[in-house]
Amino acid sequence: MVGSKMIVFGGDSGNHLLDDTKILSLDKLTWDSVASKVRVSPAGRRAQFRPCKGHCLVPWGKTVILVGGKSEPSSDRISVWTFNTETEIWSHMEAKGDIPVARSGHTVTRAGPVLILFGGEDTKGKKLHDLHMFDLKSLTWLPLNYKGAGPSPRSNHVAALYDDRILLIFGGQSKSKTLNDVHALDFETMVWSRMRTHGHHPSPRAGCCGALCGTKWYIAGGGSKKRRHPETWVFDVLESKWSVCVVPPSSSITTKKGFSMVPLYYRDKIVLVSFGGNKKEPSDKVEVLVVLQNEHCFSWRSAPDAEPLMYEDSSPSSKELADHLNNCDPLYSNSVARHSLATTVESSSGRKSLPDSLLHNSKVGGSSLRRQFRQEEECSLAQKLQKPIDDDKYKDVDDCSELPSFANQKQRSDTYHSPDADAKTKRVGRSSSDINHQHDTKIANLVRRNMALEEQLSAAMASKDEAEKNLSLVIDTKEELERRLAERDREVVALKEKVGGLEQAHEDSNNASNTVHADNVRLEREVAFLKAVMDETQKELHSTRGVLAGERARAFQLQVEVFHLKQRLQSMDGRSPTQRKPQNL
């Protein structure tokens, strides 16, 4: 809407996509066709102007901005065009920056010289929930970083910008279901939040139209794959409350798929103008909904029945978001990750070896660490037992192997004892006693070492038994936790089924409530009509009674005259023939 002119571009005729531009003058209620003239770029190139549907038209001064849409053939990136309502010429905007992918069913809102784009569906049918801004002065696309859980990917939703600060998103179609949630993004904090609404909320719907007028957000039409919803809802932004505005007849435009709606302002009235749509075949019908500000709504009316209105331009506040969004700090930083990584490296360089740490924390750790500890402990213990035994073994065997051979030689020696032989015998006895003493000393050392190793082995076995007990406790605890987790999973599945049933019942009750409300409105209208008919009938009956009373009085007068005539005839019959005079009765 630009002034009192409603600009319509493109759409679907049922057989093919359209690229024509139509202008409806609401002062005269006349349509004008505009030739599709495209301005040549400064480089001498003429951009291809393609037919499309599912696009967005946004007013900006005396121009209209066309963003995105599903075209044939499709393109990889989204395109932006402008239409000058005075020269009636289309111009392609050579955008730069991080240009979003091509899409349809998205929403575009304007805050001063900045466009805010959200969601939609790409050329492959994938639902989107990304957020971008387009600076109309520098012609630059920028992605917007935000916090919080934003809306799920969706298309064919409605969006509005309240106070140039809060972006509102309602409804739409996700990959698997139709939605009716309301989300809000505060551009001062860049935090998404799901709004808690009050009152009867609309049933899930997509393809509806919205218009924000002050603090009232009017949502008209829409529906799911199964049914359409013709009623018009009002969402109070300040109170977060839903209410039904009006339920139009079944022939209204709001019952159709793919219609559009724009708001106008005339004195103390808000006029919502809707156009087009497709039910069984495309429509070129126009309807208006006249809303008194701070009052209730009136019924939809066809545009030709409405009197021509003089409209005033509605200039919203122009609070710019470009500087704030450009200077917005990144949401994620790698400094924390680098710091934590450096801390981990420093702490790991000063850790103790695995056996020492496990000896100090024998009750902590997994079964694999315990297994590794036991293997290392048993290996070290075996090495301690084996190494000294091997060293002493070879020494003792060499010493002891000499004793039997020397004794055998002594027994086989000659019984002759010479003085040299006696001296030699004494030396051999002394050496054998020294050898026996060394052997006894080594045996005693081996016994003491064996006792120490046995004590170490018993301590290691005790710690092994304790570790096995702790491991069995951990395994039992793990099994118990897994059993409890399985029970919780079953309970969660049951609760999800119950919640799904409750949501379905709630949706059915809402639908029934909406149907009852619609029937009540229709019955009230019929009762009012019947009352009017009865009043008219009573008036006609009263007038008929007056006419009957007059006719009765006239009949009585005629009877009186007839009676007098009879008396005159009788008096004439009583005269003599000579006295009679001819009379013309």
Side-chain angles (χ1 to χ4, degrees):
M1 182 59 60
V2 177
S4 62
K5 296 179 180 180
M6 185 177 72
I7 314 299
V8 178
F9 169 77
D12 193 349
S13 67
N15 299 322
H16 60 277
L17 299 181
L18 303 173
D19 62 346
D20 54 345
T21 305
K22 305 291 183 181
I23 299 178
L24 174 62
S25 176
L26 292 173
D27 293 336
K28 303 176 182 178
L29 293 179
T30 57
W31 284 100
D32 293 327
S33 298
V34 177
S36 298
K37 296 183 292 184
V38 180
R39 184 186 302 276
V40 180
S41 63
R45 295 179 301 173
R46 182 184 297 272
Q48 185 177 2
F49 194 60
R50 301 174 181 176
C52 66
K53 68 175 181 179
H55 50 277
C56 290
L57 290 178
V58 182
W60 188 36
K62 297 298 181 181
T63 62
V64 176
I65 303 173
L66 168 66
V67 182
K70 183 177 181 180
S71 59
E72 295 178 358
S74 61
S75 58
D76 295 332
R77 298 294 173 180
I78 198 168
S79 60
V80 182
W81 292 78
T82 60
F83 176 74
N84 193 316
T85 58
E86 295 180 348
T87 61
E88 297 182 351
I89 295 178
W90 285 96
S91 302
H92 182 255
M93 304 184 78
E94 298 290 340
K96 54 188 177 181
D98 191 357
I99 303 176
V101 297
R103 64 191 67 197
S104 61
H106 53 285
T107 55
V108 177
T109 55
R110 183 177 65 85
V114 174
L115 299 182
I116 307 297
L117 180 143
F118 173 78
E121 178 180 319
D122 64 7
T123 55
K124 296 181 181 180
K126 179 183 177 181
K127 305 295 182 181
L128 306 172
H129 64 153
D130 50 351
L131 189 66
H132 300 266
M133 64 163 284
F134 182 68
D135 190 354
L136 294 172
K137 293 183 178 180
S138 62
L139 304 183
T140 304
W141 281 104
L142 292 174
L144 297 180
N145 297 325
Y146 54 83
K147 303 175 184 177
S152 58
R154 64 189 66 195
S155 63
N156 295 320
H157 52 280
V158 290
L161 188 64
Y162 174 70
D163 197 23
D164 278 356
R165 187 174 64 89
I166 298 177
L167 178 65
L168 302 172
I169 302 292
F170 167 74
Q173 180 68 42
S174 67
K175 182 178 179 181
S176 59
K177 62 179 181 179
T178 310
L179 306 170
N180 64 341
D181 50 353
V182 180
H183 292 264
L185 173 64
D186 191 343
F187 281 104
E188 291 184 356
T189 60
M190 294 303 293
V191 176
W192 276 109
S193 61
R194 181 170 180 174
M195 300 184 66
R196 294 182 178 179
T197 60
H198 307 286
H200 292 288
H201 59 276
S203 54
R205 61 192 64 200
C208 49
C209 292
L212 181 62
C213 303
T215 61
K216 308 293 184 181
W217 193 16
Y218 296 90
I219 307 294
S224 59
K225 296 180 180 180
K226 297 181 180 180
R227 56 173 296 184
R228 304 292 300 175
H229 305 289
E231 66 272 4
T232 301
W233 290 77
V234 181
F235 180 73
D236 193 321
V237 179
L238 299 180
E239 298 180 359
S240 299
K241 184 178 180 181
W242 285 104
S243 60
V244 178
C245 175
V246 66
V247 180
S250 59
S251 60
S252 175
I253 285 181
T254 57
T255 61
K256 303 180 185 297
K257 181 180 179 180
F259 74 99
S260 58
M261 184 178 71
V262 291
L264 296 175
Y265 298 88
Y266 171 65
R267 296 179 182 174
D268 60 339
K269 299 180 181 64
I270 299 172
V271 182
L272 303 180
V273 184
S274 60
F275 166 76
N278 189 340
K279 198 168 188 179
K280 294 182 179 180
E281 58 182 8
S283 172
D284 58 353
K285 186 179 179 182
V286 179
E287 286 183 351
V288 295
L289 175 65
V290 181
V291 183
L292 294 177
Q293 294 187 8
N294 301 324
E295 296 291 341
H296 296 290
C297 302
F298 291 89
S299 301
W300 286 95
R301 296 185 299 171
S302 299
D305 297 335
E307 60 182 359
L309 302 177
M310 298 298 292
Y311 296 95
E312 299 175 355
D313 292 338
S314 173
S315 57
S317 58
S318 58
K319 181 181 180 181
E320 299 182 1
L321 296 176
D323 296 336
H324 171 71
L325 297 176
N326 289 330
N327 298 327
C328 185
D329 295 333
L331 298 180
Y332 303 101
S333 176
N334 293 329
S335 60
V336 178
R338 289 194 296 269
H339 176 72
S340 60
L341 181 60
T343 305
T344 305
V345 172
E346 292 175 359
S347 61
S348 62
S349 62
R351 289 188 303 176
K352 298 182 179 180
S353 61
L354 182 61
D356 294 338
S357 61
L358 289 176
L359 285 173
H360 288 85
N361 300 282
S362 60
K363 296 183 180 180
V364 182
S367 59
S368 60
L369 296 178
R370 291 192 180 91
R371 195 179 303 112
Q372 184 177 359
F373 167 57
R374 287 200 298 270
Q375 292 176 357
E376 293 182 3
E377 188 177 37
E378 291 173 358
C379 180
S380 61
L381 182 60
Q383 291 175 357
K384 290 179 181 179
L385 289 171
Q386 185 177 2
K387 185 175 180 180
I389 292 176
D390 291 342
D391 296 339
D392 296 335
K393 174 182 176 182
Y394 294 114
K395 293 179 180 179
D396 296 339
V397 167
D398 294 337
D399 296 337
C400 296
S401 62
E402 296 176 355
L403 294 176
S405 61
F406 185 78
N408 292 334
Q409 292 179 1
K410 180 180 179 182
Q411 293 176 0
R412 289 192 301 268
S413 63
D414 192 82
T415 56
Y416 173 74
H417 299 282
S418 61
D420 296 333
D422 294 335
K424 186 176 181 181
T425 301
K426 292 180 181 179
R427 288 195 299 271
V428 171
R430 287 194 298 269
S431 64
S432 63
S433 62
D434 294 335
I435 291 172
N436 290 332
H437 180 70
Q438 293 177 0
H439 180 69
D440 294 337
T441 304
K442 290 182 179 180
I443 289 176
N445 292 333
L446 288 175
V447 169
R448 287 193 299 270
R449 188 177 297 175
N450 188 23
M451 292 176 61
L453 292 176
E454 285 179 352
E455 291 177 357
Q456 293 180 3
L457 179 61
S458 62
M461 294 299 294
S463 63
K464 176 184 175 182
D465 296 337
E466 184 69 17
E468 287 179 350
K469 290 180 182 179
N470 294 333
L471 179 61
S472 63
L473 291 175
V474 170
I475 292 174
D476 295 338
T477 305
K478 178 183 176 183
E479 293 177 353
E480 181 67 17
L481 291 176
E482 289 178 350
R483 185 180 61 81
R484 292 182 180 179
L485 183 60
E487 293 177 356
R488 294 294 184 274
D489 291 339
R490 289 192 294 269
E491 292 177 358
V492 168
V493 171
L495 289 175
K496 285 183 178 179
E497 293 178 354
K498 291 182 180 179
V499 169
L502 291 174
E503 289 179 351
Q504 184 64 32
H506 188 59
E507 181 178 358
D508 295 339
S509 64
N510 287 334
N511 294 335
S513 176
N514 295 335
T515 304
V516 170
H517 182 76
D519 293 338
N520 290 335
V521 173
R522 181 175 55 81
L523 290 175
E524 289 176 357
R525 293 178 179 175
E526 292 178 357
V527 167
F529 176 76
L530 291 176
K531 286 183 178 180
V533 171
M534 288 181 61
D535 294 338
E536 193 69 24
T537 304
Q538 289 179 356
K539 290 180 181 179
E540 292 178 359
L541 182 61
H542 183 71
S543 61
T544 303
R545 287 178 179 174
V547 172
L548 287 176
E551 293 294 330
R552 287 179 180 175
R554 184 178 178 185
F556 179 77
Q557 185 176 3
L558 290 174
Q559 288 179 358
V560 171
E561 291 178 1
V562 169
F563 176 76
H564 288 302
L565 288 175
K566 285 182 179 181
Q567 286 182 350
R568 290 179 63 185
L569 288 174
Q570 289 178 0
S571 62
M572 290 176 67
D573 291 337
R575 295 178 184 178
S576 60
T578 56
Q579 293 178 349
R580 294 179 182 174
K581 294 181 180 179
Q583 295 180 0
N584 187 10
L585 297 178

